[in-house]
Amino acid sequence: MPYVVTRSCCADASCVLACPVNCIHPAPGEPGFGQTEMLYVDPRTCVDCGACTTACPVDALKPHTGLTGAELPFLELNRAYYDAHPHEDRAPMAIVPPQRRTSASELRVAVVGAGPAGLFAADELLRYPGVTATVHDRLPTPYGLARAGVAPDHQDTKQVARLFRAVESQPGFSYRLNTEIGRDLHHEDLLRDHHAVIYAVGAAGDRRLGIEGEDLPGSASATDFVAWYNGHPDHSATPYALDGERAVVIGNGNVALDVARILTADPDVLSRTDISDRALAALRTSRVREVVVLGRRGPAEAAFTLPELIALAALDGVDVLVEGWPADIPADATPKTRVLAELAARTPVPGRRRIVLRFRTRPVRILGEDRVTGLTVESTDEAETIEASLVLRAIGYRARPVPGLPFDEATGTVPHERGRVRPGVYVAGWIKRGPSGFIGTNKSCAQETVSALLDDLEAGLLTAPASGGPVSGHPEAVGLDGWRAIDDAERAAGQGRGRPRVKIVDREELLAAAARRRPRRVGRRSSS
């Protein structure tokens, strides 16, 4: 009875190291690790021990006899990986890389950004004795896109927070949340009080279309829309035009599919998630019945991952259709086109909400005077108008320049060598490599950056902090105790309503919740 990876997982390799027969790949050090859409279990060598399920932080692994109908395609997906990538030459036991040693008696590092990249960086640092890592973030809450980017109907993926809570519990870890670098503290402050600074600030911006009408009310970034329904304090009160029957999402990556699912989901189902209460109330009165997802490229080049497409195809109560299947694409060209061809052959059910996938379609102009009324597109050199009241661009995240650091406008990243900007200053995550990869990709990314930092430490290139006492702070900083008070309050509010949590979405309310539990002592390792 082999176990099966059933979706895009965190890919952090916890299951790889737990497996006693090394049947989960790609493993760290192998081609593709950190870049593949998911990890895969070899059904021929799996011994049904279940060790992987215990290690997996997001419950992505199941025995094949426990798969639902919607999950059955993953059984073939796991098996097919080993047809293309056989691993008969692998040793029968996963090998844990040897732990590097450092001679430093003290190493104080500031990490800017409390998302997955920043927390994995802190985790790598705290493997060494004598290290303290203080993680800063401008929001009062940590976890970045794991909290404010993962769709609320993907609660299993959000269980990666278990990993982050374990990182937070390590000796030498502290938070300084609600702290904006450049306002509350400055780059120079961090350099003065630490041996090194790692920037893991992600990619908070988005790419623009550059077409007429893009700034009309009703035209918005999918990045901001995702933040809205996830209760991000900067976007929780933003109004969106949900009074028309059709919305258009431009782009066909995973974010576009997330947005389409949420717009067509049953609000009663969403009410059992951690979606923002404000967004849930708006979706209950939404008139949107159809979401058209436009891609410039053909089906074979679609940016969404196969696991996300399989999950979309299995939606209950929503028609998922492909419009105008291209004659020059064989239905069985790839696993992705096979699923798309099946969707293209479906017959819509009258009365259902629908998601329509269209390819080789280019947006030309967003129409409207006081608000969006439609979108002009070109497909096979023919122009047409799609009526819509909401147009969301989902064509990619983009990082913003970091004050005091060089910035490459073409790639939207900070130039670096293995994460080293210069001795004492480092980058990790999307600001380092661009908006690519998965949650677990940040782990290997952080390992590379921390390795470069330790190289500089051993070479004597890091400057000791100017003081040996408490590092600089500001009165409104939220520490670990404050974050746990927020977490407890949200979970308690959700418990009475059958939800994992009810998010606090206003910054002032978040700070009030954080103030209900204060640290018992103040010092260099204090949590606030």
Side-chain angles (χ1 to χ4, degrees), residues 120 248 319 379 502 525:
F120 278 127
V248 175
D319 279 335
S379 178
V502 174
R525 294 193 182 185

Side-chain angles (χ1 to χ4, degrees), residues 110-119 134-148 168 173-185 190 198-204 232-234 474 476-479 483 507 510-511:
V111 179
V112 182
L119 289 170
T134 303
V135 179
H136 302 70
D137 201 283
R138 70 180 189 86
L139 293 179
T141 56
Y143 303 170
L145 288 181
R147 175 180 168 96
E168 295 168 348
F173 181 95
S174 63
Y175 272 135
R176 187 163 288 114
L177 306 174
N178 195 45
T179 301
E180 184 172 345
I181 306 305
R183 184 194 66 182
D184 304 310
L185 288 177
L190 300 178
I198 298 176
Y199 284 90
V201 293
H232 191 294
D234 293 348
H474 74 105
E476 296 300 316
V478 173
W483 156 236
R507 186 180 288 266
L510 285 165
L511 295 178

Side-chain angles (χ1 to χ4, degrees), residues 328-352:
D328 61 336
I329 299 292
D332 60 350
T334 66
K336 186 180 290 185
T337 56
R338 282 198 292 271
V339 176
L340 288 169
E342 292 170 4
L343 293 175
R346 285 187 179 180
T347 301
V349 177
R352 277 188 176 180

Side-chain angles (χ1 to χ4, degrees), residues 351-370:
R352 277 188 176 180
R353 293 184 180 184
R354 63 175 61 179
I355 297 171
V356 180
L357 306 180
R358 287 187 55 172
F359 300 95
R360 297 178 180 175
T361 303
R362 181 174 68 90
V364 176
R365 182 172 63 256
I366 298 175
L367 306 174
E369 295 184 3
D370 299 325

